[in-house]
Amino acid sequence: MSGTIDSSLSSPIVEDNIIESKASTSSDDDATLVLTPQEGGGKRVKDYSENVMRFWNHTMISPVAIPTIAKMTPKRKSMVNARVKEFGINMVYNAISKASESSFLNGGGSKGFIADFDWVFRPNNFPKVLEGNYDDVKPINKNGNGTNERDKSRESREADLRDKERFDFITAKYGDIG
């Protein structure tokens, strides 16, 4: 096959094949543009799969148990681009970070399940990872009398906040009255 240069694209065109060129996009939208051959001309489609693969492999390093990936298969490309279209690229990166920080997804559950790329990017699993269903449970703050902050009523929490603000104001104005 012979390659020719199209000055409007300033990248090589190979007949009957997908053409890739680096997009000049902002840092939030760092994608490769792919020219998909169609009858009557090509359509530019953003392909985030290579960037997502690099971010995944950079994030899933020791001590993370979730494995890195060696190849971006067509099925994986499709899953990545579908999740980007549905949630946006920043949320995809956020979900990858959440998966790497989850003890459960890294084998910390009772059965030792370890998630992988394909599991995280499945349409039914991805929103759960993104929403924090697998995040590590953070301890509830205890107040001075040993009860949980969550157990207090809204009015009680607001009253405590007003008292704290008054105390901070008095301390700032008059110093530690101690």
Side-chain angles (χ1 to χ4, degrees):
M1 288 189 190
S2 64
T4 60
I5 301 293
D6 180 351
S7 62
S8 66
L9 294 176
S10 70
S11 66
I13 296 177
V14 180
E15 297 169 14
D16 299 328
N17 283 334
I18 294 176
I19 302 152
E20 296 186 28
S21 64
K22 193 68 177 168
S24 58
T25 57
S26 69
S27 61
D28 287 342
D29 197 17
D30 188 21
T32 301
L33 286 179
V34 177
L35 187 60
T36 309
Q38 295 178 336
E39 303 219 3
K43 177 183 175 190
R44 290 186 180 261
V45 179
K46 290 182 180 178
D47 180 10
Y48 291 89
S49 60
E50 291 301 318
N51 294 339
V52 168
M53 183 175 116
R54 278 194 290 278
F55 185 77
W56 178 274
N57 287 340
H58 178 76
T59 304
M60 302 304 171
I61 54 174
S62 183
V64 176
I66 297 174
T68 58
I69 59 174
K71 183 177 181 182
M72 184 56 69
T73 64
K75 181 180 177 185
R76 287 177 173 169
K77 278 186 182 187
S78 174
M79 287 193 308
V80 165
N81 289 318
R83 299 299 80 78
V84 170
K85 185 176 180 179
E86 189 174 1
F87 296 97
I89 188 64
N90 290 333
M91 297 309 273
V92 169
Y93 292 146
N94 188 13
I96 293 170
S97 296
K98 284 176 160 286
S100 73
E101 296 166 359
S102 168
S103 296
F104 179 80
L105 296 179
N106 281 282
S110 62
K111 296 184 180 181
F113 168 74
I114 297 175
D116 62 12
F117 186 90
D118 299 319
W119 186 93
V120 170
F121 277 87
R122 284 186 192 147
N124 57 328
N125 296 336
F126 189 85
K128 293 180 207 172
V129 173
L130 192 56
E131 292 166 357
N133 291 9
Y134 302 103
D135 289 359
D136 293 348
V137 178
K138 294 184 175 44
I140 299 171
N141 293 333
K142 300 260 185 181
N143 61 18
N145 64 11
T147 61
N148 294 331
E149 288 293 323
R150 193 182 289 167
D151 294 340
K152 296 171 95 180
S153 69
R154 179 178 177 195
E155 293 81 17
S156 177
R157 288 191 307 268
E158 288 174 348
D160 288 348
L161 182 59
R162 285 192 300 274
D163 290 344
K164 182 183 178 325
E165 289 172 347
R166 279 190 216 116
F167 180 77
D168 289 345
F169 171 78
I170 291 168
T171 303
K173 187 169 185 172
Y174 300 108
D176 189 9
I177 56 175

